[in-house]
mmCIF file of all heavy atoms in Angstrom:
data_model
loop_
_atom_site.group_PDB
_atom_site.id
_atom_site.type_symbol
_atom_site.label_atom_id
_atom_site.label_comp_id
_atom_site.label_asym_id
_atom_site.label_seq_id
_atom_site.Cartn_x
_atom_site.Cartn_y
_atom_site.Cartn_z
ATOM 1 N N ASN O 5 -14.349 22.447 -7.589
ATOM 2 C CA ASN O 5 -14.572 22.612 -9.036
ATOM 3 C C ASN O 5 -13.928 21.477 -9.801
ATOM 4 O O ASN O 5 -13.174 20.687 -9.252
ATOM 5 C CB ASN O 5 -14.016 23.983 -9.514
ATOM 6 C CG ASN O 5 -12.546 24.107 -9.266
ATOM 7 O OD1 ASN O 5 -11.879 23.162 -8.904
ATOM 8 N ND2 ASN O 5 -12.012 25.317 -9.510
ATOM 9 N N GLN O 6 -14.233 21.339 -11.066
ATOM 10 C CA GLN O 6 -13.847 20.172 -11.869
ATOM 11 C C GLN O 6 -12.349 20.019 -11.979
ATOM 12 O O GLN O 6 -11.831 18.902 -11.934
ATOM 13 C CB GLN O 6 -14.485 20.252 -13.244
ATOM 14 C CG GLN O 6 -14.298 18.964 -14.061
ATOM 15 C CD GLN O 6 -14.930 17.759 -13.435
ATOM 16 O OE1 GLN O 6 -15.999 17.841 -12.871
ATOM 17 N NE2 GLN O 6 -14.253 16.636 -13.476
ATOM 18 N N GLY O 7 -11.611 21.111 -12.114
ATOM 19 C CA GLY O 7 -10.156 21.050 -12.231
ATOM 20 C C GLY O 7 -9.482 20.456 -10.998
ATOM 21 O O GLY O 7 -8.606 19.597 -11.093
ATOM 22 N N THR O 8 -9.983 20.866 -9.835
ATOM 23 C CA THR O 8 -9.453 20.313 -8.583
ATOM 24 C C THR O 8 -9.839 18.874 -8.417
ATOM 25 O O THR O 8 -9.029 18.044 -7.943
ATOM 26 C CB THR O 8 -9.995 21.145 -7.378
ATOM 27 O OG1 THR O 8 -9.728 22.516 -7.614
ATOM 28 C CG2 THR O 8 -9.352 20.696 -6.110
ATOM 29 N N VAL O 9 -11.044 18.514 -8.822
ATOM 30 C CA VAL O 9 -11.477 17.100 -8.723
ATOM 31 C C VAL O 9 -10.608 16.238 -9.604
ATOM 32 O O VAL O 9 -10.233 15.121 -9.205
ATOM 33 C CB VAL O 9 -12.985 16.977 -9.106
ATOM 34 C CG1 VAL O 9 -13.367 15.545 -9.281
ATOM 35 C CG2 VAL O 9 -13.863 17.664 -8.051
ATOM 36 N N ASN O 10 -10.250 16.695 -10.792
ATOM 37 C CA ASN O 10 -9.388 15.919 -11.683
ATOM 38 C C ASN O 10 -8.036 15.663 -11.039
ATOM 39 O O ASN O 10 -7.476 14.570 -11.101
ATOM 40 C CB ASN O 10 -9.207 16.603 -13.019
ATOM 41 C CG ASN O 10 -10.477 16.563 -13.841
ATOM 42 O OD1 ASN O 10 -11.354 15.752 -13.612
ATOM 43 N ND2 ASN O 10 -10.577 17.474 -14.797
ATOM 44 N N VAL O 11 -7.448 16.669 -10.411
ATOM 45 C CA VAL O 11 -6.157 16.533 -9.748
ATOM 46 C C VAL O 11 -6.258 15.545 -8.586
ATOM 47 O O VAL O 11 -5.412 14.678 -8.392
ATOM 48 C CB VAL O 11 -5.651 17.908 -9.254
ATOM 49 C CG1 VAL O 11 -4.414 17.758 -8.387
ATOM 50 C CG2 VAL O 11 -5.354 18.799 -10.425
ATOM 51 N N ILE O 12 -7.332 15.653 -7.811
ATOM 52 C CA ILE O 12 -7.513 14.750 -6.667
ATOM 53 C C ILE O 12 -7.719 13.314 -7.151
ATOM 54 O O ILE O 12 -7.208 12.385 -6.567
ATOM 55 C CB ILE O 12 -8.680 15.213 -5.781
ATOM 56 C CG1 ILE O 12 -8.279 16.486 -5.054
ATOM 57 C CG2 ILE O 12 -9.083 14.136 -4.800
ATOM 58 C CD1 ILE O 12 -9.348 17.091 -4.200
ATOM 59 N N ASN O 13 -8.449 13.124 -8.266
ATOM 60 C CA ASN O 13 -8.658 11.800 -8.811
ATOM 61 C C ASN O 13 -7.341 11.179 -9.267
ATOM 62 O O ASN O 13 -7.087 9.986 -9.053
ATOM 63 C CB ASN O 13 -9.667 11.822 -9.946
ATOM 64 C CG ASN O 13 -11.072 11.984 -9.455
ATOM 65 O OD1 ASN O 13 -11.375 11.704 -8.297
ATOM 66 N ND2 ASN O 13 -11.949 12.475 -10.330
ATOM 67 N N VAL O 14 -6.498 11.958 -9.923
ATOM 68 C CA VAL O 14 -5.193 11.446 -10.370
ATOM 69 C C VAL O 14 -4.331 11.093 -9.160
ATOM 70 O O VAL O 14 -3.680 10.043 -9.123
ATOM 71 C CB VAL O 14 -4.483 12.452 -11.294
ATOM 72 C CG1 VAL O 14 -3.047 12.086 -11.547
ATOM 73 C CG2 VAL O 14 -5.249 12.605 -12.572
ATOM 74 N N ALA O 15 -4.323 11.953 -8.164
ATOM 75 C CA ALA O 15 -3.530 11.654 -6.931
ATOM 76 C C ALA O 15 -4.066 10.384 -6.258
ATOM 77 O O ALA O 15 -3.283 9.557 -5.784
ATOM 78 C CB ALA O 15 -3.594 12.859 -5.990
ATOM 79 N N PHE O 16 -5.372 10.230 -6.217
ATOM 80 C CA PHE O 16 -5.971 9.063 -5.642
ATOM 81 C C PHE O 16 -5.521 7.772 -6.378
ATOM 82 O O PHE O 16 -5.178 6.776 -5.768
ATOM 83 C CB PHE O 16 -7.508 9.164 -5.638
ATOM 84 C CG PHE O 16 -8.238 7.928 -5.239
ATOM 85 C CD1 PHE O 16 -8.247 7.521 -3.912
ATOM 86 C CD2 PHE O 16 -8.887 7.171 -6.188
ATOM 87 C CE1 PHE O 16 -8.935 6.389 -3.525
ATOM 88 C CE2 PHE O 16 -9.565 6.028 -5.794
ATOM 89 C CZ PHE O 16 -9.578 5.621 -4.508
ATOM 90 N N GLN O 17 -5.547 7.835 -7.703
ATOM 91 C CA GLN O 17 -5.106 6.666 -8.493
ATOM 92 C C GLN O 17 -3.633 6.345 -8.226
ATOM 93 O O GLN O 17 -3.275 5.167 -8.133
ATOM 94 C CB GLN O 17 -5.346 6.935 -9.963
ATOM 95 C CG GLN O 17 -6.831 6.973 -10.345
ATOM 96 C CD GLN O 17 -7.061 7.418 -11.764
ATOM 97 O OE1 GLN O 17 -6.113 7.682 -12.500
ATOM 98 N NE2 GLN O 17 -8.316 7.485 -12.171
ATOM 99 N N ILE O 18 -2.806 7.366 -8.145
ATOM 100 C CA ILE O 18 -1.369 7.128 -7.894
ATOM 101 C C ILE O 18 -1.207 6.508 -6.498
ATOM 102 O O ILE O 18 -0.417 5.561 -6.353
ATOM 103 C CB ILE O 18 -0.589 8.441 -8.042
ATOM 104 C CG1 ILE O 18 -0.568 8.876 -9.502
ATOM 105 C CG2 ILE O 18 0.824 8.295 -7.509
ATOM 106 C CD1 ILE O 18 -0.039 10.262 -9.754
ATOM 107 N N PHE O 19 -1.901 7.025 -5.530
ATOM 108 C CA PHE O 19 -1.796 6.476 -4.184
ATOM 109 C C PHE O 19 -2.262 5.027 -4.161
ATOM 110 O O PHE O 19 -1.664 4.170 -3.475
ATOM 111 C CB PHE O 19 -2.608 7.304 -3.181
ATOM 112 C CG PHE O 19 -1.828 8.408 -2.537
ATOM 113 C CD1 PHE O 19 -1.408 9.486 -3.288
ATOM 114 C CD2 PHE O 19 -1.514 8.367 -1.197
ATOM 115 C CE1 PHE O 19 -0.667 10.501 -2.683
ATOM 116 C CE2 PHE O 19 -0.780 9.372 -0.597
ATOM 117 C CZ PHE O 19 -0.347 10.437 -1.349
ATOM 118 N N CYS O 20 -3.324 4.703 -4.892
ATOM 119 C CA CYS O 20 -3.830 3.330 -4.943
ATOM 120 C C CYS O 20 -2.801 2.407 -5.610
ATOM 121 O O CYS O 20 -2.621 1.275 -5.130
ATOM 122 C CB CYS O 20 -5.142 3.271 -5.701
ATOM 123 S SG CYS O 20 -6.522 3.937 -4.766
ATOM 124 N N ILE O 21 -2.174 2.851 -6.642
ATOM 125 C CA ILE O 21 -1.162 2.019 -7.311
ATOM 126 C C ILE O 21 -0.005 1.705 -6.357
ATOM 127 O O ILE O 21 0.447 0.569 -6.273
ATOM 128 C CB ILE O 21 -0.639 2.750 -8.605
ATOM 129 C CG1 ILE O 21 -1.717 2.754 -9.661
ATOM 130 C CG2 ILE O 21 0.645 2.097 -9.106
ATOM 131 C CD1 ILE O 21 -1.417 3.640 -10.832
ATOM 132 N N PHE O 22 0.472 2.714 -5.639
ATOM 133 C CA PHE O 22 1.554 2.474 -4.683
ATOM 134 C C PHE O 22 1.091 1.613 -3.521
ATOM 135 O O PHE O 22 1.873 0.782 -3.019
ATOM 136 C CB PHE O 22 2.150 3.785 -4.180
ATOM 137 C CG PHE O 22 3.155 4.363 -5.141
ATOM 138 C CD1 PHE O 22 2.791 5.403 -5.984
ATOM 139 C CD2 PHE O 22 4.444 3.880 -5.213
ATOM 140 C CE1 PHE O 22 3.726 5.943 -6.870
ATOM 141 C CE2 PHE O 22 5.372 4.390 -6.063
ATOM 142 C CZ PHE O 22 5.016 5.437 -6.910
ATOM 143 N N ALA O 23 -0.138 1.763 -3.099
ATOM 144 C CA ALA O 23 -0.651 0.904 -2.018
ATOM 145 C C ALA O 23 -0.672 -0.552 -2.466
ATOM 146 O O ALA O 23 -0.277 -1.449 -1.695
ATOM 147 C CB ALA O 23 -2.037 1.366 -1.586
ATOM 148 N N VAL O 24 -1.113 -0.786 -3.684
ATOM 149 C CA VAL O 24 -1.132 -2.158 -4.208
ATOM 150 C C VAL O 24 0.298 -2.692 -4.338
ATOM 151 O O VAL O 24 0.587 -3.845 -3.983
ATOM 152 C CB VAL O 24 -1.873 -2.220 -5.558
ATOM 153 C CG1 VAL O 24 -1.661 -3.566 -6.232
ATOM 154 C CG2 VAL O 24 -3.349 -1.951 -5.347
ATOM 155 N N MET O 25 1.196 -1.868 -4.838
ATOM 156 C CA MET O 25 2.596 -2.291 -5.008
ATOM 157 C C MET O 25 3.220 -2.700 -3.672
ATOM 158 O O MET O 25 3.840 -3.743 -3.549
ATOM 159 C CB MET O 25 3.413 -1.181 -5.656
ATOM 160 C CG MET O 25 4.863 -1.583 -5.865
ATOM 161 S SD MET O 25 5.891 -0.254 -6.490
ATOM 162 C CE MET O 25 5.975 0.799 -5.053
ATOM 163 N N PHE O 26 3.035 -1.879 -2.624
ATOM 164 C CA PHE O 26 3.628 -2.200 -1.346
ATOM 165 C C PHE O 26 2.873 -3.360 -0.667
ATOM 166 O O PHE O 26 3.498 -4.120 0.083
ATOM 167 C CB PHE O 26 3.669 -0.981 -0.433
ATOM 168 C CG PHE O 26 4.818 -0.067 -0.742
ATOM 169 C CD1 PHE O 26 4.633 1.126 -1.414
ATOM 170 C CD2 PHE O 26 6.109 -0.449 -0.398
ATOM 171 C CE1 PHE O 26 5.696 1.952 -1.694
ATOM 172 C CE2 PHE O 26 7.176 0.365 -0.706
ATOM 173 C CZ PHE O 26 6.968 1.567 -1.348
ATOM 174 N N THR O 27 1.611 -3.559 -0.954
ATOM 175 C CA THR O 27 0.898 -4.724 -0.429
ATOM 176 C C THR O 27 1.479 -5.988 -1.070
ATOM 177 O O THR O 27 1.662 -7.005 -0.388
ATOM 178 C CB THR O 27 -0.602 -4.612 -0.734
ATOM 179 O OG1 THR O 27 -1.099 -3.393 -0.139
ATOM 180 C CG2 THR O 27 -1.359 -5.811 -0.165
ATOM 181 N N VAL O 28 1.762 -5.957 -2.353
ATOM 182 C CA VAL O 28 2.399 -7.108 -3.018
ATOM 183 C C VAL O 28 3.760 -7.366 -2.453
ATOM 184 O O VAL O 28 4.124 -8.510 -2.176
ATOM 185 C CB VAL O 28 2.446 -6.883 -4.550
ATOM 186 C CG1 VAL O 28 3.324 -7.897 -5.224
ATOM 187 C CG2 VAL O 28 1.044 -6.871 -5.149
ATOM 188 N N LEU O 29 4.544 -6.312 -2.250
ATOM 189 C CA LEU O 29 5.875 -6.498 -1.654
ATOM 190 C C LEU O 29 5.777 -7.051 -0.235
ATOM 191 O O LEU O 29 6.603 -7.914 0.162
ATOM 192 C CB LEU O 29 6.631 -5.179 -1.635
ATOM 193 C CG LEU O 29 7.189 -4.706 -2.966
ATOM 194 C CD1 LEU O 29 7.718 -3.282 -2.867
ATOM 195 C CD2 LEU O 29 8.261 -5.656 -3.462
ATOM 196 N N LEU O 30 4.783 -6.602 0.513
ATOM 197 C CA LEU O 30 4.569 -7.155 1.882
ATOM 198 C C LEU O 30 4.255 -8.645 1.787
ATOM 199 O O LEU O 30 4.771 -9.465 2.560
ATOM 200 C CB LEU O 30 3.463 -6.379 2.568
ATOM 201 C CG LEU O 30 3.164 -6.738 4.000
ATOM 202 C CD1 LEU O 30 4.376 -6.556 4.875
ATOM 203 C CD2 LEU O 30 2.010 -5.923 4.505
ATOM 204 N N GLY O 31 3.360 -9.013 0.860
ATOM 205 C CA GLY O 31 3.064 -10.424 0.678
ATOM 206 C C GLY O 31 4.262 -11.232 0.259
ATOM 207 O O GLY O 31 4.472 -12.354 0.750
ATOM 208 N N MET O 32 5.093 -10.696 -0.597
ATOM 209 C CA MET O 32 6.315 -11.375 -1.004
ATOM 210 C C MET O 32 7.276 -11.547 0.154
ATOM 211 O O MET O 32 7.957 -12.566 0.255
ATOM 212 C CB MET O 32 6.981 -10.637 -2.158
ATOM 213 C CG MET O 32 6.251 -10.707 -3.460
ATOM 214 S SD MET O 32 6.959 -9.658 -4.734
ATOM 215 C CE MET O 32 8.567 -10.394 -4.954
ATOM 216 N N SER O 33 7.291 -10.578 1.073
ATOM 217 C CA SER O 33 8.158 -10.724 2.238
ATOM 218 C C SER O 33 7.711 -11.858 3.128
ATOM 219 O O SER O 33 8.531 -12.524 3.777
ATOM 220 C CB SER O 33 8.246 -9.421 3.020
ATOM 221 O OG SER O 33 7.083 -9.200 3.797
ATOM 222 N N PHE O 34 6.390 -12.120 3.174
ATOM 223 C CA PHE O 34 5.909 -13.279 3.938
ATOM 224 C C PHE O 34 6.147 -14.565 3.200
ATOM 225 O O PHE O 34 6.427 -15.624 3.811
ATOM 226 C CB PHE O 34 4.428 -13.116 4.261
ATOM 227 C CG PHE O 34 4.173 -12.202 5.414
ATOM 228 C CD1 PHE O 34 3.730 -10.912 5.209
ATOM 229 C CD2 PHE O 34 4.388 -12.640 6.730
ATOM 230 C CE1 PHE O 34 3.501 -10.075 6.279
ATOM 231 C CE2 PHE O 34 4.147 -11.794 7.800
ATOM 232 C CZ PHE O 34 3.716 -10.520 7.552
ATOM 233 N N ILE O 35 6.069 -14.554 1.867
ATOM 234 C CA ILE O 35 6.308 -15.776 1.095
ATOM 235 C C ILE O 35 7.766 -16.147 1.088
ATOM 236 O O ILE O 35 8.139 -17.287 1.394
ATOM 237 C CB ILE O 35 5.802 -15.582 -0.370
ATOM 238 C CG1 ILE O 35 4.262 -15.442 -0.349
ATOM 239 C CG2 ILE O 35 6.229 -16.728 -1.246
ATOM 240 C CD1 ILE O 35 3.703 -15.028 -1.683
ATOM 241 N N PHE O 36 8.632 -15.196 0.756
ATOM 242 C CA PHE O 36 10.064 -15.494 0.606
ATOM 243 C C PHE O 36 10.838 -15.367 1.882
ATOM 244 O O PHE O 36 11.914 -15.944 2.028
ATOM 245 C CB PHE O 36 10.689 -14.613 -0.461
ATOM 246 C CG PHE O 36 10.109 -14.850 -1.848
ATOM 247 C CD1 PHE O 36 9.465 -13.872 -2.524
ATOM 248 C CD2 PHE O 36 10.214 -16.113 -2.418
ATOM 249 C CE1 PHE O 36 8.942 -14.067 -3.779
ATOM 250 C CE2 PHE O 36 9.673 -16.347 -3.692
ATOM 251 C CZ PHE O 36 9.032 -15.324 -4.340
ATOM 252 N N GLY O 37 10.330 -14.577 2.839
ATOM 253 C CA GLY O 37 11.050 -14.422 4.100
ATOM 254 C C GLY O 37 10.612 -15.362 5.169
ATOM 255 O O GLY O 37 11.329 -15.598 6.137
ATOM 256 N N GLY O 38 9.445 -15.926 5.018
ATOM 257 C CA GLY O 38 8.914 -16.824 6.039
ATOM 258 C C GLY O 38 8.665 -16.091 7.317
ATOM 259 O O GLY O 38 8.585 -14.870 7.382
ATOM 260 N N ARG O 39 8.524 -16.853 8.391
ATOM 261 C CA ARG O 39 8.299 -16.241 9.681
ATOM 262 C C ARG O 39 9.571 -16.193 10.470
ATOM 263 O O ARG O 39 10.499 -16.964 10.225
ATOM 264 C CB ARG O 39 7.268 -17.067 10.456
ATOM 265 C CG ARG O 39 5.914 -17.015 9.845
ATOM 266 C CD ARG O 39 4.952 -17.811 10.675
ATOM 267 N NE ARG O 39 3.649 -17.768 10.052
ATOM 268 C CZ ARG O 39 2.558 -17.546 10.705
ATOM 269 N NH1 ARG O 39 2.570 -17.377 11.997
ATOM 270 N NH2 ARG O 39 1.408 -17.527 10.101
#
């Protein structure tokens, strides 16, 4: 139903934001940490 879909959409957006944030941090670890 629509109420559940709204909750799942918000959770999906939050998960995507954190995925992008940790991807950026991972990239920074390769830039600043080197190999």
